[in-house]
Amino acid sequence: MERIGFWIGGKIVPGESGRTGPVYNPATGEQTHEVDFATPQEVSKAVEAAKEALPGWRATSLSKRADVFFRIRELLEERKTDIARAITLQHGKVLSDAVGEVQRGLENVEYATGIPHLLQGAFSEQVSTGIDVYSIRQPLGVVAGITPFNFPGMVPIWMCANAMACGNTFLLKPSEKDPGPSLVLAELFKDAGIPDGVFNVVHGDKVAVDAILEHPDIAAVSFVGSTPIAKYIYANGTANGKRVQALGGAKNHMIVLPDADIDMVADSAVSAGYGSAGERCMSVSVVTSVGKVSDRVVDAIADRLPKVKVGSGLDPESEMGPLVTREHRDKVASYLDSGSAQGARVITDGREHALYKESPGFFLGLSLMDEVTPQMDAYRDEIFGPVLSVVRADTYDQAVDLVNRNPYGNGVALFTRDGGAARQFIFEVEVGMVGINVPIPVPVAYYSFGGWKGSLFGDSHMYGPEGIRFYTRGKVVTQRWPDPAKSAVDLGFPRTR
Ligand code: NAD
């Protein structure tokens, strides 16, 4: 069985502990690799490499750092399909979707090419006689990123592009379920001119994560994953004195007002609900239709489901691939049983799909449940699969209340033709990323990405301006160039007037 090792100091380093995890091709169900799990000593080795590379990288001029990011951008563009293929083989998403993931990562690299501008400080001349003050932002040191399975290319880039551009060195701990793309990225960074030790990768489970959280030489941790682990990372990372941003899970609602165009609503709900087999943190998982429009919304969505082609991500005809593992697929499917037992109406059961019944791959067909209520497990849990729930509301107020009472607050969408209603919604909805007639409102790279409530622990959103702030700390310099002849002792507190 082929092994997946670490990337330390610019080269592949095999794990030595003998602890490993299986990696599958979700479309065939076959195990294709064993990934090495790092011990705390191996994590320390990677941190040492990052520490060693830090002084040189920190001192590299902004123009040279920007040059490297321009080269990364070119190589990402050139190798987009290879990276996407590496993603599809271990995650399962269809190739076109994996290319889209790389493209959204690339946007963050483009943002990082502007680092000379992004790190500009402020300068105040003559704050007192002969005294100037200026502020600068400097890197934190060695920083780490811990990432989820669902975006094995994009989310690491969300973190490491800004972190490295700011002058930090980086340690990535990607998901052990699809670790392959991290090494494809590592090679690309090296080819683009990232010096050895500036970008490192270790794989593993809780043991490697705890070693990162406890390591005294790691200054900050960025995390993206499920809410219980995000909470754990935030509590333990900050208890160890680190700066932490921990993005968690989601339950994204799409509210449909009665004036919305039903065909557009159904197209958007199907695209955003089942794209990437529902394994996106910004997937729509609940459609909340308001008033008498509900029957038409459910019918229009149900009509579209049989037309979506499910199959291997490498088949250019496929629109939706398998789920990441068999266990995850079975857990997702179990919500159809619990939903039905708790009173929901299963309109389309993905277990009827031929690939669910016959393929050894981890397939589940598109599933739709109507008359779901907030008390049901299917509503309370983040399903993270191709199961869309419809929760009916009588009024706009009920729909907004449902969203605001939900413990998650990642993304939300409103579909309407009424600008006044949309404006009111933006004003009062308690969610970090809002789409108006846009079902997956992932911000572009020059804004920042982050949810509210149980979808984010810490005060910094990811990438964009907040990413630059997260990966740097401020320093304020007060300086004068006095005439030594006028020097005198003065025990008073420094005055400006
Ligand atoms: P996960 O929380 O299981 O794993 C995320 C990372 O944490 C992985 O690297 C994993 O190895 C590590 N981890 C897992 N269990 C751990 C433990 N007990 N102790 C320490 N570390 C542990 O998440 P996942 O299943 O890989 O990804 C899906 C989740 O990520 C969903 O909840 C999804 O909503 C969320 N997500 C959120 C965003 C966002 O931006 N808010 C983006 C993508 C994914």
Side-chain angles (χ1 to χ4, degrees):
M1 185 72 55
E2 213 181 315
R3 292 280 280 269
I4 297 177
F6 314 137
W7 181 268
I8 299 177
K11 57 179 192 299
I12 298 274
V13 174
E16 285 175 356
S17 71
R19 282 185 69 233
T20 61
V23 178
Y24 298 93
N25 177 343
T28 62
E30 274 168 346
Q31 187 185 341
T32 56
H33 295 84
E34 284 282 340
V35 57
D36 293 337
F37 282 6
T39 60
Q41 293 71 29
E42 287 167 321
V43 170
S44 283
K45 215 167 135 189
V47 175
E48 278 311 310
K51 265 174 77 180
E52 214 172 290
L54 185 63
W57 181 241
R58 230 210 100 174
T60 301
S61 74
L62 292 177
S63 320
K64 283 192 184 146
R65 273 190 245 156
D67 269 354
V68 174
F69 279 89
F70 276 107
R71 282 204 295 277
I72 293 176
R73 188 207 173 278
E74 293 313 312
L75 290 184
L76 278 173
E77 193 64 66
E78 262 173 57
R79 300 182 191 174
K80 203 153 53 181
T81 318
D82 296 342
I83 303 168
R85 210 182 136 77
I87 292 171
T88 295
L89 283 173
Q90 294 184 359
H91 175 284
K93 66 176 75 175
V94 298
L95 201 59
S96 55
D97 193 33
V99 170
E101 162 173 0
V102 179
Q103 192 67 42
R104 294 306 303 261
L106 189 147
E107 275 180 20
N108 287 269
V109 171
E110 287 172 345
Y111 184 75
T113 60
I115 198 65
H117 166 81
L118 296 168
L119 285 184
Q120 267 179 1
F123 189 95
S124 301
E125 186 186 48
Q126 197 76 345
V127 297
S128 186
T129 309
I131 296 186
D132 307 323
V133 172
Y134 64 96
S135 67
I136 50 183
R137 295 202 70 88
Q138 296 188 330
L140 304 177
V142 179
V143 299
I146 301 166
T147 54
F149 81 81
N150 67 324
F151 282 108
M154 180 184 77
V155 170
I157 299 176
W158 278 5
M159 300 172 179
C160 73
N162 281 340
M164 295 191 297
C166 287
N168 302 284
T169 54
F170 196 83
L171 172 61
L172 173 67
K173 205 303 283 172
S175 169
E176 69 281 21
K177 293 187 184 123
D178 48 11
S182 65
L183 298 182
V184 180
L185 285 179
E187 295 219 9
L188 183 148
F189 292 157
K190 186 177 168 103
D191 292 348
I194 289 283
D196 293 348
V198 171
F199 180 80
N200 306 277
V201 182
V202 292
H203 303 291
D205 54 3
K206 188 173 185 314
V207 174
V209 169
D210 285 343
I212 289 172
L213 296 177
E214 286 162 20
H215 202 293
D217 295 326
I218 293 177
V221 176
S222 298
F223 173 87
V224 174
S226 60
T227 289
I229 311 297
K231 245 183 194 167
Y232 173 82
I233 301 281
Y234 186 74
N236 287 278
T238 52
N240 286 312
K242 299 182 196 319
R243 189 178 283 196
V244 180
Q245 53 178 180
L247 277 61
K251 193 80 188 175
N252 306 312
H253 295 65
M254 170 171 162
I255 298 184
V256 182
L257 297 190
D259 68 340
D261 181 276
I262 298 301
D263 282 325
M264 188 174 93
V265 162
D267 288 340
S268 298
V270 172
S271 310
Y274 303 102
S276 197
E279 292 173 325
R280 292 182 185 135
C281 61
M282 291 291 273
S283 287
V284 165
S285 61
V286 180
V287 172
T288 298
S289 46
V290 175
K292 54 185 187 312
V293 75
S294 295
D295 288 340
R296 285 167 57 215
V297 169
V298 172
D299 290 347
I301 294 174
D303 270 357
R304 283 161 172 77
L305 301 192
K307 297 172 197 147
V308 175
K309 172 110 176 29
V310 181
S312 160
L314 293 180
D315 177 349
E317 302 273 294
S318 302
E319 294 170 279
M320 190 182 103
L323 283 88
V324 68
T325 58
R326 183 179 306 282
E327 295 70 37
H328 183 57
R329 190 270 309 263
D330 293 344
K331 179 154 186 251
V332 168
S334 75
Y335 286 100
L336 293 161
D337 289 332
S338 69
S340 157
Q342 291 165 16
R345 210 154 57 86
V346 178
I347 308 281
T348 312
D349 187 330
R351 292 171 298 188
E352 299 299 324
H353 197 283
L355 284 175
Y356 176 84
K357 294 181 183 161
E358 291 154 21
S359 166
F362 312 141
F363 291 99
L364 175 66
L366 294 79
S367 305
L368 179 65
M369 285 198 286
D370 190 12
E371 292 170 34
V372 173
T373 65
Q375 293 71 37
M376 295 177 188
D377 292 332
Y379 180 82
R380 288 214 308 257
D381 296 352
E382 178 185 30
I383 299 178
F384 219 57
V387 177
L388 190 59
S389 301
V390 176
V391 177
R392 294 175 177 230
D394 293 332
T395 62
Y396 163 84
D397 287 338
Q398 263 183 20
V400 175
D401 193 48
L402 182 75
V403 174
N404 285 352
R405 276 189 290 118
N406 193 281
Y408 298 104
N410 215 37
V412 70
L414 178 76
F415 276 69
T416 181
R417 283 186 262 199
D418 181 340
R423 189 182 180 283
Q424 181 61 23
F425 180 72
I426 295 161
F427 182 75
E428 63 192 350
V429 75
E430 291 176 22
V431 172
M433 292 173 283
V434 180
I436 302 298
N437 299 314
V438 172
I440 309 183
V442 175
V444 287
Y446 38 97
Y447 284 77
S448 298
F449 180 109
W452 286 13
K453 301 187 278 186
S455 297
L456 174 77
F457 301 88
D459 66 350
S460 287
H461 286 195
M462 201 155 281
Y463 69 72
E466 294 206 23
I468 299 294
R469 199 201 65 81
F470 181 79
Y471 290 122
T472 54
R473 52 188 167 172
K475 188 178 267 182
V476 180
V477 180
T478 303
Q479 75 175 4
R480 63 182 180 137
W481 302 98
D483 178 355
K486 293 185 184 157
S487 176
V489 171
D490 178 356
L491 298 191
F493 192 66
R495 294 173 300 273
T496 53
R497 291 194 173 85

